[in-house]
Amino acid sequence: MNSLNIRVAVVAGARTPFLRIATGFSELPARTLAAKLVKELVQRADLDRSTVEKLVFGQVVMAPDAPNIAREIVMSANLPTSTDSYSVSRACASSYQSAADIALNIQSGIIDTGIAGGCDVMSQPPISFNKKMTEAMVRSSYSKGSKLKAFKGIGLRDLMPTQPAIKEPSSELTMGQAAEKMAKENGISRADQDALAHRSHTNAAQAWEQGWFDAQVAPILTGRDYTPVSKDNLFRADSELSKYAKLKPVFDRQYGSVTAANSSPLTDGASAVVLMREDKAKALGYTPLGYIKSFAFAALDPNWQMLMGPSFATPKALDLAGLSLADIDLIDMHEAFAAQVLSNTQAFASKQFAQERLNREQAIGEIDFDKLNITGSSISLGHPFAATGTRQLTQMLYDLQRTGKQHGLITACAAGGLGAAMVLESA
């Protein structure tokens, strides 16, 4: 990005409250929740709808009846029907991709203004059946005779839906199993994982108590009585470190260290940002939250350590920004699992890792934990897969603004051995 002499301004950003599955957003389709947010974001930014030329939205768990969530958002949020729109999926880095797409469109001169974001409602996963039942349903759809004949031989077991699973077809591991593998291979202790999770909840609780999230989180009206949902319901305001040790491991019950408390929970939510060419933003009288200075993506073998993406994407983004880790004032590393964060921070500081894995002579740099996830991250705030990237983007720019700092790094791992990183600059 730094080879192009056009700065991409972040004019506005917001997210819905992030809610545990099967709670306040469980009856809202993802497209409806996202449209409510985008409509509110446009209103908050006092943005002329006719100026929105493109909307790109991420979604990981797609609804079969609305596979292009971006187009549904345009129609439901009262944006012009001429607004180009498409959806992207890069697992947990999906809204990094949507933001990168809008930024590249602006820098290449295709558009001046666009909206990027992501949404997942994990309360409404698509339900599937086993192969035998699926084939019977297909036969029934095309049968010219009795529909019942298509289901001959179907038993009660075949009627049971397949449980949704976040599992890698290539590695045959769930994300939690991958985190457990990393904890063992990298020597990450249970105590350190619990301490990081406790710190995340403590920081998030403080941010809510101090009102730091008020400008970032848009209340969502829902239910028959249109009750506003205005606050996350995942963070623990009374987090006590001693209680974390009482939980049993989830993915390796005998020898494991990854628990429900030191992992991100299944979450419903949406987030979005308005991006604009810098000169246009200033001509319209906007004071941007900040700027996207660089971004990078990376991929690694998921059969090795699937969630090490931040350690591969970050040095690329720093190089593109012309900065080192020492120049970064604040960091938000997506907390899929405490074991994943600690594995990556360990790798950041390792010269051996840099030489063997990155083909670089020097380590990325040691992370100062006083700069890391200072207002909480995914363990405490939640992780609606596709919404996390633009949640981090908005939260980081507000944190930089509040603390008077200049440069921020956001980074995330993603399924499939993917990683994303973005360097941000405060206005």
Side-chain angles (χ1 to χ4, degrees), residues 144-300:
K144 293 182 179 179
S146 171
K147 302 289 186 183
L148 292 176
K149 289 183 179 180
F151 294 95
K152 185 178 181 180
I154 295 295
L156 287 176
R157 181 176 297 179
D158 301 314
L159 297 176
M160 292 296 294
T162 302
Q163 290 285 345
I166 308 165
K167 195 172 187 178
E168 286 290 302
S170 55
S171 66
E172 290 296 313
L173 295 175
T174 64
M175 301 298 102
Q177 290 168 337
E180 189 68 77
K181 178 175 181 284
M182 289 166 62
K184 292 183 173 70
E185 293 179 357
N186 298 322
I188 307 299
S189 72
R190 165 73 183 270
D192 285 346
Q193 292 175 59
D194 288 347
L196 186 137
H198 168 63
R199 179 178 178 276
S200 182
H201 282 281
T202 301
N203 289 352
Q206 180 188 30
W208 273 111
E209 183 180 351
Q210 295 295 325
W212 296 339
F213 286 139
D214 292 352
Q216 304 172 43
V217 179
I220 299 296
L221 298 178
T222 185
R224 293 180 180 178
D225 56 354
Y226 297 102
T227 303
V229 178
S230 57
K231 197 170 186 178
D232 303 330
N233 68 2
L234 295 135
F235 71 94
R236 301 185 186 99
D238 58 350
S239 180
E240 294 180 24
L241 182 57
S242 60
K243 292 183 178 180
Y244 287 75
K246 298 178 181 179
L247 273 72
K248 294 181 179 180
V250 176
F251 304 100
D252 179 349
R253 296 184 182 278
Q254 188 171 3
Y255 302 110
S257 59
V258 178
T259 71
N262 57 41
S263 309
S264 59
L266 292 174
T267 313
D268 299 336
S271 65
V273 291
V274 176
L275 302 182
M276 194 177 290
R277 186 179 169 120
E278 181 187 22
D279 56 354
K280 179 170 183 177
K282 291 185 174 179
L284 292 175
Y286 286 107
T287 300
L289 290 173
Y291 304 92
I292 296 177
K293 196 170 180 67
S294 71
F295 57 80
F297 298 93
L300 56 112

Side-chain angles (χ1 to χ4, degrees), residues 38-122:
V38 169
K39 192 173 183 179
E40 174 68 17
L41 178 62
V42 168
Q43 183 174 332
R44 286 183 172 204
D46 194 21
L47 186 66
D48 182 349
R49 286 173 169 76
S50 67
T51 64
V52 181
E53 299 158 276
K54 191 182 291 286
L55 182 144
V56 182
F57 238 73
Q59 188 178 23
V60 177
V61 183
M62 296 184 182
D65 62 339
N68 186 3
I69 188 175
R71 191 57 183 165
E72 301 304 323
I73 293 168
V74 166
M75 304 306 290
S76 298
N78 296 328
L79 294 176
T81 56
S82 58
T83 302
D84 185 24
S85 49
Y86 63 89
S87 305
V88 294
S89 184
R90 190 190 272 271
C92 303
S94 291
S95 53
Y96 277 86
Q97 186 65 62
S98 62
D101 281 12
I102 291 294
L104 288 172
N105 270 267
I106 290 171
Q107 289 206 309
S108 61
I110 297 172
I111 65 172
D112 290 333
T113 305
I115 293 175
C119 179
D120 271 301
V121 175
M122 297 304 298

